[in-house]
Amino acid sequence: MDALIPQLLNGSAQGALLLLAALGLSLTFGQMGVINMAHGEFLMIGAFSAYLVQQVIAASDLSIPVALPVAFVVAGLFGLLLEVTIIRWMYRRPLDTLLVTVGVGLILQQAALQIFPSQGVPVEKPSWLDGQLTILGYAWPMRQLFTILLAAVCVAALSAWLKYTSFGRRIRATVHNRDLAETTGISTRTIDRLTFFVGSGLAGVAGVAASLIGGTNSQMGAQYIIPAFLVVAAGGIGQLKGTILAAWAVGVALAFFAYWTTGSLAQVLAFILVIVFLQLRPQGLFTVRTRSLA
Amino acid sequence: MTGASLVVTDLRVEFSGFVAVGGVSFDAHPGEVRFLIGPNGAGKTTCIDAVTGLTKATGSARLGQTELLGKQVHKIVRRGIGRTFQTASVFDELTVLQNLDIAAGLHRRSVSLLRARRGIDPSIERALEETGLTGELTTPAGILSYGQKQWLEIAMLLVQDAKVLLLDEPVAGMSQDERTATGELLQRIAAKRIVLVVEHDMDFMRRFATRVTVLHQGKVLSQGTVAEVQADPQVQEVYLGTADAITEA
Amino acid sequence: MTKKPWISLGGIGVFAVLLLAVAPLVLTDHWLNNLGKYCCWAIAAVGIGLAWGRGGMLVMGQGVFFALGAYSMAMHLTLETAGDRIPAFMVLYDPLAPLPAFWEPFRGAGFTLAAIVLLPVVVAGALGYALFKRRVKGAYFAILSQALAVALAVLISSTIRETGGDTGLSDFKYFFGFVLNDPANRQMVYLIAAGLLIVCLLAVWQFYRSRFGELLIATRDAEERVRFLGYDPANVKLVAFVVSALMASIGGALFVPIVGIITPAEIGAAASILMIAGVALGGRASLFGPALGAIAVGWGQSSLGSTWPDGWTYVLGLLFIVVILFLPNGLSSLPARFTGRARRTPVEQPTPAIAAAELEGVRS
Amino acid sequence: MLELTDIEAGYGRTRVLHGVTVPTGKVVAVLGHNGAGKTTLLRLAIGLIKPSKGRVVFDGEDITSLAPNQRVKRGMAYVPQGQQAFGQLTTLENLQLVADGRRRGKALIEAQMARFPALEKFATRKAGLLSGGQRQQLAIARALITEPKLLILDEPTEGIQPTIVAEIEHTIVQLAGEGINVLLVEQHIGFALQAAERYVVLASGFVTQTGEGGMAATSTVRAAMAI
Amino acid sequence: GCGARAGDDTAGAGSSAAASCVDTSGDTIKLGFLNSLTGGMAISEKTVSNVLHMAADEINAGGGLLGKKIEYVQEDGATDWPTFAEKTEKLLTQDCVAAIFGGWTSSSRKAVKPVVEKLNGLFFYPVQYEGLESSPNIYYTGATTNQQIIPAMDFLASKGVKTLFLAGSDYVFPRTANAIIKLYAAKLGIKIVGEEYVPLDKDDWTSQVAKIAAAKPDFIFNTINGSSNVGFIKAYYDAGLTPAKTPIISVSIAEEEAPAMGHEVTGNYASWNYFQSLKTATNPKFIQSWKAYPKSSGVTSDPMEAAYISLYLYKALVEAAGSFDVNAVNAAAKKNTITFDAPEGKVTLDGENHHISKPGHIGRINADNQFDIVWASDKFIEPDPYLEGYDWFPADIRKQLTDAAG
Ligand SMILES: Nc1ncnc2c1ncn2[C@@H]1O[C@H](COP(=O)(O)OP(=O)(O)OP(=O)(O)O)[C@@H](O)[C@H]1O
Ligand SMILES: Nc1ncnc2c1ncn2[C@@H]1O[C@H](COP(=O)(O)OP(=O)(O)OP(=O)(O)O)[C@@H](O)[C@H]1O
Ligand SMILES: NC(N)=O
Ligand SMILES: [Mg+2]
Ligand SMILES: [Mg+2]
């Protein structure tokens, strides 16, 4: 019973990291229909960006706040490059984007392995994230709080962007029917690029958070990609609130399973949980129905 | 031959609070070309959706003794209900022949599915002739024109030997003489089967309808022969409009 | 779909002669053994071609079924090697505990063979039934199947005493009574794998020319529409999925005596995707494409991966990109492109309201 | 306004249009049987497919290589065949989409809602849930909001109830009167010819007849089309 | 036709092995290097591969092996155990190398073992491992348990540790090592208060560390491998655990790995045989050569040093045997006279079990990510893979294991 509070908090933080990793996907997969398997590698790019920023700004208290926007832009630019060179040809073949981006991910991983020290690089945590906050008798690591806060900020910014700007509408229109969008005067090219930039940029931000939690190396992205996709699917395609809820639920489930069983089994159980859930609700938590036959 | 009739009683469909169909009753019998008309959004397509199992509904829809509501889509089809869609949908990558062959396969034993097709089913040849698609036998359906796709859909209903044909705007996109041809085809088909047509082309309706049901806001507004319905002032008001509209003679 | 099915049949004949007669004569033991391994992947690939190329189900978790066959076989061979002792690796973690109960039946050769065939059928049947009836499809299906493969791989990794964990099962001495070290026996195992590949090709050849093949394409292209022709698309997909699972299992089962080791890495995400790579390279919807593609990728891994390991990763990555981007129908679509005999295909569909609408309806 | 000269185009290896030249005029009707290539011609006009030969000139500018959205910015609007709408967006959002960034955007939307009452009634409903005819009305409204110089209509009255058909036909005539050019594909030959200044008949991708509009042309066209 | 059946057992050791195809006629000799250059383990194995290249260059500069220059064939194990098996077979039968060097994880070694045994090849394995293994075809130049784990436990006992938490990656080495630790801890009167495993490729340790924090052990015994260590150390630090109150002793964090963990790892311990900070006669030269080597990573570490040893040990072996023949090499080893003046000190090969003697060291990580040596064994520890000299290790398990090994 005394595990309840700690694991709930701890799970929420894990969920927040998952959410950060899934947020960009929710945009590129949910809104654009692109299944970007290199999203994990964009996350890795964000983490390496944080490392490079620290090479320039040594004081980690300052460098991490600087690294966040830098990682956003760097990963975003990589995403933009991917869109301009490859994805743009594939909007009519979503499942094929999955395979193409697997290839992109492989290349990025290998490049990282060759460019950076193979054991990975250190990303120093700012000292203001040292220590714990004691809640109900549980010493909650500040770093976990930071992850949650960062996720909250990103979610708020993203949903405002989608909701209060005409971009949101245009993105959704473009996903639904490219030709039609194009012929109503939407520059689908611009929309595609911008969306992909933001979605990939969010992966970069997630990468900074991840670099404070685990290793920063060529393999780091791989561990996030499948859980992140499961979260997006379980939340309901293109449903931001679903993604949030699903990420939190998976995070908490992972924490409790890990507490009751082992780290390995926790992963298995969390996956099974999502799969069973999707069996019950194939369209995710929140669904959009239309009358079309497709 | 007097086959079973389609009898719809008190059909209701609700979409999260919005009543799309609110207690519609009508019937259709072999030998007549039955028309279902009404303003956009009246619930015509929804009625067809309900009868074919695409949408959940309450009330009753019977073909002879068999209740259709509540059955799965493919089981309803196996009872002999066939339909077309407001936006034509055929299997783009398959040829016309393959499309028809699949439609014809419905009553085949499943083991026979594992054998290759040899020759062309006589029922397919007949359907091709009826719909004038003989020349397109090996054309992938994806590159047929819109109207041709609609004919292909009707041909598919013929080979699947549907007892009831529910046609949602079957002459959309057709030119006048094509409409005439289609109308005549429907009359021929209707001799032995139940044909229910949803259409907005009033000229087409006048020429080919034997009986008409008018829906409005999910309710039956009027029912009867073409003349009766046309004369109904309510129908004129909500649907037909007054005579000054530019119409095709 | 092939206009003249007998040409394909002739192709299978040529392929059979190459694999069964020519290869054993010209290849060294090492390369023959490698070819055997590629054949195992090719068997799985043929199944993927059926499920994905023809059925539109991007099966990203074939590792699961590969594992069912492989671990069934590996447990049997491990027990055969251990004799009446408990397998060596189990001693390490708990020497006193007995053989786990689920191992026991795998002592029997008959049970093992039955398991290799029936396990994937039952598991894929149940899984497919649950998913297809609930209309889980498209990207959802792909990601779910992949997650399943990951989950199984992690599960195996984390149950060391029961399954050998990450290290896997290896060091098999016998194969149904035959000494595995004997080159003659290894050749026999190779011939079994190559022979089964031919059998699988024949099976899909018949599938493709049958009405079922056409129905499968119809289901892939417009699943909901098929319902209105009186078929339950879930059943159509289920058949293709189960057959593809069975093939993956057979491939896995033969992988074990040929390669001599099975580990969770051979069934996890990366391995499952690599199986897809071969299929995409060769041509997902063609008859020979998947098998040839799988053999090519296997060969590339063995040879390029040797001489140029860093480069190979780039090559593999580029392969995915270039093939999918420029040759969505794989290398096997090249001849048709050049000879210009290509059928008219609807490349650029005028998008009707329904076509691109929902992601889950989306194919390839 | 729009000149389509000696157009050849098709899909993949299939050629659909063979040297098609469309006469210019305020309202130009394109007539023809199923599969004649009418939709293909209109898709080409808006830029969804590119001609393998021939030129597309709009307002004196060669726009053959422009993307559809750029053509829209230059004042073209397109209502495709088949009741197309953005199903995931609400009716209102469908309209806002095109009104965004325009002066008087709100007023433009209101004007169209007044024209098509169903749109007002279902403003917050997802367009994917509308009936076919409602979607078609939405499509036309969407095109009109852009205040185009040239309106390209592919069977705009298809699937629409007679009262509203009359309304749309009336609108087309009215718009033409206001100086908006119209390129129209329509199966109601009578209406099409009455509204049209010029017409062109396509058969299997070839131009088989062109001429001046007006009721008088009806019988000639009928004769040309009755194969 | 079919070959031998189980009954007609002629399948004794190497009976069916094709005659070795090693070509000793020229003035070069081929050796195989087998490391994961791609995939997850490339993180660790690339450096080992590079140091092997350096050693080969050095030996070539000094005249080679029996007067023949080493011509090495580098293979990629790709972090995939079947690939290790395949490449081993390829190196032995296609490239005809005289010996193979490499591997890191115990899993990779276990994949290689049956192949080298079948083909009667030689494999030199350079990483500390869980012991309980020996093979006529493998030479182990990393530590076995009694040279790393047991000294670490002795060290803990000497510090008066009463409770211990075991944290490891989920694979064969940590699982087996912890099984041994538990046996020995019982003997030492140390209580194991918890045991946690996380998959090798997973970094997030927060849930597990929360359990550790709750268990409040005197010490944490860390058998985590690879990048997962970074996550472990960060979670440890974030949870407020400190080396002052809950120190960690690791067996897989070395000079190579420590920098990636930042300052969070400082103050914790590691048990190794070699540290860069060791003051031996040969260490400075080793460090210097490595730093000057083009593909250098800048620091030296235990697995690298063991890899370096392995090539020199082979040199000593072939020179003693006067031949590259496997049986001759093994016969030479049997004389127990093979030594090498390694950076960790002068190591001696045990010709029976094919392991080498090693000094035990415990180091403490300082701010420069180097190790301050806080404990050293009083003499070189003889290798004892089956723990025959330790009465707490159950004889029946030992028997079962040796029986199973054949
Ligand atoms: N799934 C749904 N959710 C909510 N409302 C729906 C749904 N399906 C249909 N409707 C509404 O039900 C009403 C009836 O629609 P239906 O498609 O049956 O009309 P219709 O008579 O076929 O019209 P049309 O002639 O324009 O095709 C419409 O107002 C439509 O918006
Ligand atoms: N995506 C496509 N790929 C290949 N051919 C196509 C494609 N779309 C249409 N076609 C071909 O182009 C021809 C003209 O089609 P189009 O849609 O332009 O006809 P239409 O005149 O608009 O007919 P309808 O009155 O039925 O709408 C048809 O015969 C069809 O075979
Ligand atoms: N031997 C090891 N560290 O796996
Ligand atoms: Mg309708
Ligand atoms: Mg058209």
Side-chain angles (χ1 to χ4, degrees):
Chain A
M1 205 49 211
D2 51 334
L4 198 63
I5 299 294
Q7 295 312 325
L8 208 60
L9 297 177
N10 173 18
S12 304
Q14 288 196 38
L17 184 64
L18 262 182
L19 177 57
L20 277 171
L23 214 49
L25 279 182
S26 173
L27 199 63
T28 52
F29 176 48
Q31 306 288 357
M32 304 176 74
V34 174
I35 305 165
N36 180 16
M37 295 296 276
H39 194 77
E41 278 62 50
F42 288 168
L43 187 143
M44 169 191 86
I45 288 170
F48 276 114
S49 305
Y51 165 73
L52 292 176
V53 167
Q54 289 196 339
Q55 299 309 102
V56 181
I57 307 172
S60 61
D61 281 4
L62 199 68
S63 57
I64 289 299
V66 174
L68 286 169
V70 170
F72 180 85
V73 171
V74 174
L77 288 177
F78 269 89
L80 193 62
L81 188 69
L82 176 64
E83 203 283 338
V84 170
T85 52
I86 298 173
I87 301 293
R88 64 182 293 197
W89 308 109
M90 315 215 51
Y91 284 107
R92 284 160 214 273
R93 305 189 266 144
L95 283 190
D96 281 3
T97 59
L98 188 156
L99 297 173
V100 164
T101 50
V102 164
V104 173
L106 276 178
I107 291 174
L108 288 175
Q109 267 183 31
Q110 185 64 26
L113 182 66
Q114 292 189 288
I115 294 169
F116 294 98
S118 57
Q119 299 77 15
V121 295
V123 173
E124 292 288 345
K125 197 179 64 171
S127 61
W128 42 268
L129 285 182
D130 277 351
Q132 302 81 32
L133 185 79
T134 303
I135 294 180
L136 296 170
Y138 171 59
W140 202 12
M142 289 296 284
R143 193 253 301 145
Q144 292 202 337
L145 263 167
F146 173 73
T147 312
I148 292 176
L149 203 72
L150 187 63
V153 168
C154 289
V155 165
L158 180 63
S159 50
W161 187 64
L162 283 178
K163 197 166 168 193
Y164 298 114
T165 68
S166 62
F167 277 118
R169 276 195 285 277
R170 293 187 187 193
I171 290 171
R172 285 182 287 151
T174 306
V175 177
H176 189 262
N177 187 335
R178 299 202 142 257
D179 281 354
L180 190 56
E182 185 71 21
T183 58
T184 48
I186 297 170
S187 169
T188 54
R189 294 294 312 121
T190 311
I191 293 295
D192 292 340
R193 289 180 195 153
L194 191 67
T195 315
F196 220 77
F197 174 79
V198 172
S200 309
L202 285 168
V205 172
V208 179
S211 74
L212 300 177
I213 289 167
T216 299
N217 54 54
S218 60
Q219 300 297 311
M220 68 180 297
Q223 56 191 311
Y224 293 99
I225 187 75
I226 300 289
F229 265 116
L230 284 181
V231 161
V232 175
I237 298 273
Q239 297 293 304
L240 213 49
K241 58 180 180 215
T243 307
I244 297 167
L245 206 60
W248 180 76
V250 171
V252 170
L254 268 173
F256 276 98
F257 287 146
Y259 184 81
W260 289 323
T261 66
T262 68
S264 303
L265 276 179
Q267 266 202 315
V268 177
L269 291 174
F271 274 21
I272 304 279
L273 193 76
V274 177
I275 291 169
V276 169
F277 171 80
L278 276 171
Q279 211 279 314
L280 300 175
R281 289 197 65 123
Q283 311 293 323
L285 272 169
F286 298 98
T287 55
V288 200
R289 280 179 310 133
T290 65
R291 301 178 72 186
S292 62
L293 263 188
Chain B
M1 113 163 216
T2 45
S5 302
L6 176 69
V7 182
V8 173
T9 2
D10 198 28
L11 189 71
R12 286 173 183 278
V13 180
E14 218 179 280
F15 298 109
S16 45
F18 175 83
V19 182
V21 176
V24 165
S25 305
F26 63 86
D27 48 24
H29 312 284
E32 60 173 357
V33 179
R34 194 81 161 77
F35 269 64
L36 200 55
I37 62 169
N40 293 132
K44 306 178 294 294
T45 301
T46 309
C47 280
I48 293 184
D49 288 352
V51 172
T52 53
L54 193 59
T55 312
K56 277 207 174 58
T58 58
S60 143
R62 289 169 174 277
L63 178 64
Q65 295 308 305
T66 329
E67 176 61 57
L68 302 174
L69 297 192
K71 286 198 167 40
Q72 284 172 295
V73 166
H74 65 279
K75 300 227 165 100
I76 295 177
V77 175
R78 284 175 177 267
R79 297 279 173 184
I81 319 287
R83 73 171 289 181
T84 62
F85 292 87
Q86 206 165 338
T87 19
S89 41
V90 291
F91 305 113
D92 290 350
E93 284 211 357
L94 299 181
T95 63
V96 168
L97 174 60
Q98 286 170 330
N99 267 278
L100 290 171
D101 192 65
I102 286 178
L106 151 75
H107 302 295
R108 289 194 193 112
R109 302 232 324 279
S110 36
V111 229
S112 81
L113 280 177
L114 296 179
R115 285 200 295 272
R117 176 169 22 79
R118 289 175 205 282
I120 302 176
D121 225 87
S123 71
I124 293 180
E125 297 218 33
R126 252 178 285 128
L128 284 168
E129 267 167 46
E130 292 268 34
T131 51
L133 286 171
T134 313
E136 306 289 347
L137 197 64
T138 56
T139 312
I143 66 176
L144 292 178
S145 79
Y146 198 72
Q148 287 172 318
K149 284 182 186 168
Q150 282 166 300
W151 277 335
L152 176 55
E153 285 209 299
I154 294 177
M156 283 162 83
L157 291 182
L158 291 179
V159 297
Q160 93 190 41
D161 196 24
K163 297 196 199 87
V164 182
L165 285 80
L166 307 171
L167 309 175
D168 202 351
E169 309 198 8
V171 298
M174 292 188 185
S175 60
Q176 282 308 321
D177 37 346
E178 288 162 338
R179 283 174 199 235
T180 307
T182 308
E184 284 163 359
L185 171 63
L186 293 185
Q187 276 178 331
R188 259 175 283 139
I189 295 172
K192 290 198 192 125
R193 304 162 203 263
I194 300 171
V195 176
L196 182 80
V197 182
V198 172
E199 251 310 328
H200 288 295
D201 182 343
M202 288 302 101
D203 179 48
F204 184 71
M205 177 197 78
R206 280 189 282 270
R207 287 169 62 198
F208 297 106
T210 43
R211 261 194 325 147
V212 183
T213 300
V214 186
L215 294 189
H216 178 51
Q217 294 186 343
K219 293 238 167 25
V220 176
L221 184 72
S222 177
Q223 194 142 224
T225 63
V226 174
E228 285 163 7
V229 166
Q230 273 187 310
D232 187 328
Q234 272 183 303
V235 176
Q236 285 179 5
E237 188 197 328
V238 303
Y239 187 61
L240 295 173
T242 41
D244 63 53
I246 311 151
T247 42
E248 166 85 305
Chain C
M1 288 286 281
T2 322
K3 290 272 160 56
K4 299 190 189 69
W6 307 109
I7 294 184
S8 304
L9 202 57
I12 295 179
V14 172
F15 199 44
V17 170
L18 284 177
L19 278 184
L20 297 173
V22 179
L25 287 180
V26 300
L27 292 181
T28 63
D29 283 357
H30 175 72
W31 281 106
L32 193 66
N33 204 48
N34 274 354
L35 184 58
K37 177 166 81 168
Y38 313 151
C39 283
C40 296
W41 283 326
I43 291 173
V46 170
I48 294 175
L50 177 68
W52 176 38
R54 295 291 166 130
M57 295 163 270
L58 180 47
V59 280
M60 297 226 299
Q62 287 304 82
V64 171
F65 306 111
F66 199 81
L68 290 179
Y71 274 88
S72 296
M73 179 65 88
M75 285 195 280
H76 176 69
L77 299 191
T78 301
L79 289 172
E80 207 181 341
T81 305
D84 29 324
R85 285 195 293 263
I86 71 167
F89 75 89
M90 289 187 186
V91 179
L92 228 44
Y93 311 106
D94 190 353
L96 300 178
L99 193 68
F102 71 91
W103 275 72
E104 207 55 63
F106 286 94
R107 281 194 195 282
F111 180 90
T112 304
L113 293 178
I116 290 166
V117 174
L118 293 179
L119 270 181
V121 170
V122 170
V123 173
L127 190 71
Y129 186 85
L131 294 179
F132 299 143
K133 286 284 178 193
R134 298 290 304 173
R135 306 189 191 179
V136 175
K137 54 191 158 188
Y140 285 96
F141 178 80
I143 290 164
L144 276 194
S145 62
Q146 167 117 90
L148 220 54
V150 175
L152 183 62
V154 177
L155 181 66
I156 292 177
S157 294
S158 65
T159 48
I160 282 200
R161 183 168 193 279
E162 290 76 20
T163 64
D166 163 84
T167 312
L169 298 174
S170 62
D171 211 353
F172 316 112
K173 300 264 185 295
Y174 308 109
F175 176 72
F176 297 94
F178 292 93
V179 177
L180 263 177
N181 271 357
D182 190 319
N185 289 340
R186 295 173 70 81
Q187 183 155 351
M188 170 188 76
V189 179
Y190 161 78
L191 289 174
I192 295 174
L196 281 171
L197 174 58
I198 301 298
V199 171
C200 289
L201 279 174
L202 285 170
V204 293
W205 173 76
Q206 176 60 23
F207 263 121
Y208 288 177
R209 65 193 282 270
S210 73
R211 291 188 152 111
F212 176 82
E214 291 169 2
L215 187 56
L216 190 59
I217 291 179
T219 308
R220 174 191 74 188
D221 289 350
E223 174 169 342
E224 294 303 313
R225 183 66 176 87
V226 167
R227 271 180 225 288
F228 289 94
L229 294 177
Y231 302 94
D232 187 348
N235 293 339
V236 179
K237 291 164 89 172
L238 197 58
V239 171
F241 184 55
V242 167
V243 170
S244 82
L246 174 60
M247 288 183 183
S249 177
I250 292 173
L254 286 164
F255 184 89
V256 168
I258 289 178
V259 179
I261 174 171
I262 181 71
T263 75
E266 305 319 295
I267 67 162
S272 294
I273 286 178
L274 212 58
M275 294 184 201
I276 304 259
V279 178
L281 173 70
R284 59 187 81 161
S286 69
L287 178 63
F288 293 105
L292 293 177
I295 292 176
V297 167
W299 176 82
Q301 207 172 14
S302 297
S303 58
L304 277 184
S306 265
T307 49
W308 193 32
D310 293 333
W312 164 244
T313 312
Y314 292 119
V315 169
L316 192 63
L318 279 174
L319 207 68
F320 268 106
I321 297 170
V322 172
V323 169
I324 303 282
L325 205 54
F326 299 111
L327 278 179
N329 293 316
L331 291 179
S332 59
S333 66
L334 268 183
R337 278 200 179 200
F338 287 129
T339 57
R341 284 186 298 107
R343 244 181 339 110
R344 287 187 301 167
T345 38
V347 214
E348 211 185 330
Q349 303 278 345
T351 346
I354 58 158
E358 256 52 44
L359 191 64
E360 57 287 3
V362 143
R363 66 187 153 94
S364 58
Chain D
M1 171 124 312
L2 181 73
E3 298 162 40
L4 294 156
T5 322
D6 196 21
I7 300 289
E8 300 218 338
Y11 302 93
R13 288 169 183 279
T14 4
R15 172 137 315 158
V16 174
L17 299 175
H18 309 268
V20 172
T21 300
V22 178
T24 52
K26 290 226 70 69
V27 177
V28 178
V30 180
L31 305 168
H33 278 280
N34 264 193
K38 306 181 293 294
T39 298
T40 307
L41 185 65
L42 262 51
R43 286 167 57 79
L44 184 129
I46 193 66
L48 284 173
I49 50 179
K50 299 266 180 284
S52 51
K53 198 179 141 215
R55 271 171 18 114
V56 185
V57 175
F58 180 64
D59 237 359
E61 179 191 5
D62 187 331
I63 57 165
T64 316
S65 59
L66 284 190
N69 80 80
Q70 292 164 306
R71 300 189 190 200
V72 172
K73 294 209 176 76
R74 282 168 176 66
M76 297 167 76
Y78 173 61
V79 176
Q81 187 170 17
Q83 304 144 350
Q84 300 195 34
F86 299 108
Q88 306 281 15
L89 275 65
T90 65
T91 303
L92 183 62
E93 284 177 321
N94 264 274
L95 297 175
Q96 282 172 336
L97 200 61
V98 279
D100 279 338
R102 280 175 203 282
R103 272 179 297 118
R104 304 187 302 112
K106 268 222 167 70
L108 287 167
I109 291 177
E110 273 159 23
Q112 293 311 320
M113 288 195 158
R115 190 192 300 272
F116 302 110
L119 301 185
E120 174 129 54
K121 186 165 171 208
F122 297 118
T124 57
R125 177 169 296 183
K126 290 245 151 72
L129 302 178
L130 295 177
S131 82
Q134 291 164 343
R135 277 202 307 271
Q136 183 68 4
Q137 294 172 26
L138 178 58
I140 296 172
R142 220 176 29 223
L144 292 179
I145 284 182
T146 63
E147 301 184 295
K149 291 190 232 166
L150 170 70
L151 192 55
I152 301 174
L153 302 168
D154 198 349
E155 313 207 1
T157 61
E158 202 57 72
I160 293 194
Q161 65 187 78
T163 42
I164 297 177
V165 168
E167 160 73 23
I168 291 173
E169 290 179 349
H170 181 70
T171 309
I172 293 171
V173 174
Q174 188 190 329
L175 289 171
E178 288 167 15
I180 295 181
N181 288 31
V182 178
L183 181 61
L184 174 70
V185 168
E186 181 55 80
Q187 294 293 0
H188 283 243
I189 298 178
F191 163 69
L193 289 176
Q194 190 205 357
E197 184 182 336
R198 297 238 163 67
Y199 71 88
V200 56
V201 179
L202 288 184
S204 310
F206 291 95
V207 175
T208 54
Q209 197 179 42
T210 53
E212 306 279 317
M215 278 306 198
T218 316
S219 54
T220 10
V221 172
R222 284 259 151 108
M225 283 181 64
I227 307 195
Chain E
C2 292
R5 314 224 16 170
D8 36 85
D9 216 332
T10 47
S15 71
S16 58
S20 161
C21 62
V22 180
D23 179 7
T24 51
S25 61
D27 50 8
T28 62
I29 182 76
K30 277 188 174 177
L31 298 182
F33 295 163
L34 179 51
N35 317 88
S36 295
L37 303 178
T38 58
M41 282 309 294
I43 283 177
S44 303
E45 294 187 53
K46 272 195 131 179
T47 321
V48 170
S49 156
N50 288 339
V51 86
L52 283 170
H53 296 181
M54 179 180 91
D57 292 351
E58 276 182 18
I59 290 174
N60 280 345
L65 297 178
L66 294 179
K68 297 178 197 300
K69 291 266 192 295
I70 297 171
E71 181 190 336
Y72 60 75
V73 182
Q74 174 72 55
E75 277 293 350
D76 179 15
T79 319
D80 182 64
W81 320 147
T83 302
F84 270 91
E86 179 196 325
K87 297 302 183 191
T88 304
E89 179 162 323
K90 172 188 173 266
L91 286 169
L92 292 176
T93 65
Q94 300 296 115
D95 300 318
C96 300
V97 300
I100 302 173
F101 300 78
W104 180 295
T105 64
S106 291
S107 298
S108 68
R109 187 191 65 250
K110 286 190 183 291
V112 166
K113 184 166 168 274
V115 183
V116 283
E117 287 176 354
K118 175 181 82 179
L119 298 170
N120 196 26
L122 280 181
F123 182 61
F124 286 76
Y125 174 73
V127 182
Q128 45 74 240
Y129 82 113
E130 67 281 3
L132 304 176
E133 191 182 290
S134 75
S135 163
N137 299 93
I138 301 182
Y139 285 85
Y140 304 79
T141 61
T144 176
T145 40
N146 77 315
Q147 296 169 312
Q148 184 188 28
I149 305 262
I150 290 175
M153 290 298 286
D154 289 337
F155 168 72
L156 297 185
S158 76
K159 294 199 76 163
V161 169
K162 288 274 162 281
T163 55
L164 191 61
F165 201 107
L166 309 179
S169 298
D170 206 349
Y171 79 107
V172 58
F173 162 69
R175 291 266 185 181
T176 313
N178 283 344
I180 292 169
I181 289 170
K182 282 190 271 185
L183 290 170
Y184 192 33
K187 162 95 177 179
L188 292 173
I190 296 176
K191 193 164 169 255
I192 306 294
V193 292
E195 186 175 358
E196 285 294 330
Y197 299 94
V198 161
L200 262 174
D201 54 5
K202 189 141 187 311
D203 280 8
D204 195 341
W205 271 87
T206 5
S207 295
Q208 289 73 25
V209 166
K211 281 199 222 177
I212 298 178
K216 296 195 174 57
D218 292 343
F219 235 97
I220 302 169
F221 204 110
N222 167 18
T223 48
I224 303 167
N225 258 248
S227 152
S228 196
N229 259 318
V230 182
F232 173 65
I233 295 295
K234 290 190 172 180
Y236 162 89
Y237 185 87
D238 282 339
L241 300 176
T242 58
K245 287 177 76 178
T246 322
I248 306 169
I249 186 156
S250 308
V251 290
S252 300
I253 296 181
E255 291 86 344
E256 286 269 314
E257 289 81 13
M261 297 165 203
H263 67 88
E264 282 107 319
V265 75
T266 308
N268 285 302
Y269 301 84
S271 173
W272 289 109
N273 310 103
Y274 170 86
F275 286 110
Q276 184 175 339
S277 56
L278 275 190
K279 304 269 180 288
T280 64
T282 45
N283 196 21
K285 183 179 156 280
F286 175 59
I287 298 170
Q288 206 184 3
S289 318
W290 176 240
K291 284 190 169 162
Y293 194 68
K295 286 181 276 185
S296 170
S297 59
V299 292
T300 58
S301 70
D302 185 293
M304 286 168 55
E305 190 248 9
Y308 184 75
I309 292 179
S310 67
L311 209 58
Y312 276 100
L313 200 65
Y314 181 62
K315 179 170 187 285
L317 277 166
V318 293
E319 278 164 3
S323 151
F324 293 103
D325 177 68
V326 174
N327 295 334
V329 164
N330 280 347
K334 282 255 159 46
K335 296 192 185 112
N336 284 330
T337 55
I338 305 296
T339 62
F340 172 58
D341 212 350
E344 71 190 61
K346 185 166 180 173
V347 300
T348 312
L349 176 68
D350 181 321
E352 277 309 316
N353 62 29
H354 285 194
H355 290 62
I356 59 176
S357 65
K358 283 176 163 286
H361 288 114
I362 310 285
R364 185 187 202 159
I365 306 174
N366 63 28
D368 300 327
N369 293 312
Q370 284 292 319
F371 289 78
D372 301 327
I373 293 166
V374 296
W375 180 90
S377 60
D378 34 4
K379 56 180 186 352
F380 273 49
I381 306 167
E382 291 305 319
D384 185 1
Y386 282 98
L387 299 172
E388 283 161 275
Y390 300 85
D391 57 0
W392 45 265
F393 191 79
D396 53 336
I397 298 185
R398 183 180 306 121
K399 181 164 177 345
Q400 281 199 52
L401 284 170
T402 41
D403 284 358

